[in-house]
Amino acid sequence: MGSNHATTANRTTEAAPDRAGATTTVTVRCTGHVRDAVGTHELEFAFEGTTLRAFLEAFFDEYELEEMLIAETEAEATHSGWAPVPDDLPGTWRKNPEGEQTRPYARVCINGRFNEHLGGFEAALEDGDRVALIYPFMFCC
């Protein structure tokens, strides 16, 4: 397990450009509202390209989930009830640029890691990787 983590970290820090004609097959895991929209919790999905961006474009062509998952503006990516971010945050904080963020509560993971920690939408994907599209059901009293 440790070696897979190291391999994933090394391979995704330098996002490779899509190879012309390369086809990648990943396992897609769906939760919550995404599972309802797709109709299953897991499926194999082949697409042309080698990046998360290429996967998302192909997946959204087949399943109309882009509006559910992807925020086009900073306002769409932020929930009104979230606490303000302090000016001086400890450690390293990564956030995808505007237009490449998920909506509040929605997440995209590659092999169990959030995509913003792997190069955002330019994160490299390989055959057999797991892509999780997460949008949990939210209930309030």
Side-chain angles (χ1 to χ4, degrees):
M1 184 167 170
S3 63
N4 185 28
H5 173 74
T7 302
T8 300
N10 289 339
R11 145 172 88 82
T12 56
T13 54
E14 296 178 22
D18 283 349
R19 297 181 314 260
T23 300
T24 306
T25 302
V26 297
T27 300
V28 182
R29 298 205 174 143
C30 307
T31 67
H33 295 292
V34 177
R35 180 180 178 166
D36 281 353
V38 173
T40 187
H41 73 285
E42 185 174 291
L43 65 130
E44 297 292 312
F45 189 81
F47 63 97
E48 194 172 306
T50 59
T51 63
L52 180 60
R53 181 182 308 282
F55 161 77
L56 290 171
E57 288 173 358
F59 198 79
F60 292 156
D61 282 347
E62 191 160 331
Y63 300 95
E64 295 182 17
L65 297 171
E66 186 170 9
E67 284 189 31
M68 178 189 296
L69 295 172
I70 305 301
E72 292 296 322
T73 66
E74 191 72 32
E76 290 177 351
T78 306
H79 189 277
S80 61
W82 287 0
V85 178
D87 291 332
D88 193 21
L89 294 169
T92 303
W93 293 80
R94 294 183 182 98
K95 185 173 183 178
N96 289 334
E98 188 169 337
E100 295 187 11
Q101 298 175 31
T102 56
R103 292 188 175 274
Y105 311 115
R107 298 306 300 255
V108 177
C109 295
I110 301 169
N111 298 323
R113 297 186 63 204
F114 295 129
N115 73 307
E116 58 265 22
H117 300 297
L118 301 171
F121 286 3
E122 298 309 320
L125 293 176
E126 295 179 354
D127 285 331
D129 280 349
R130 296 178 325 274
V131 177
L133 302 175
I134 303 165
Y135 197 121
F137 296 114
M138 302 299 286
F139 297 99
C140 184
C141 43

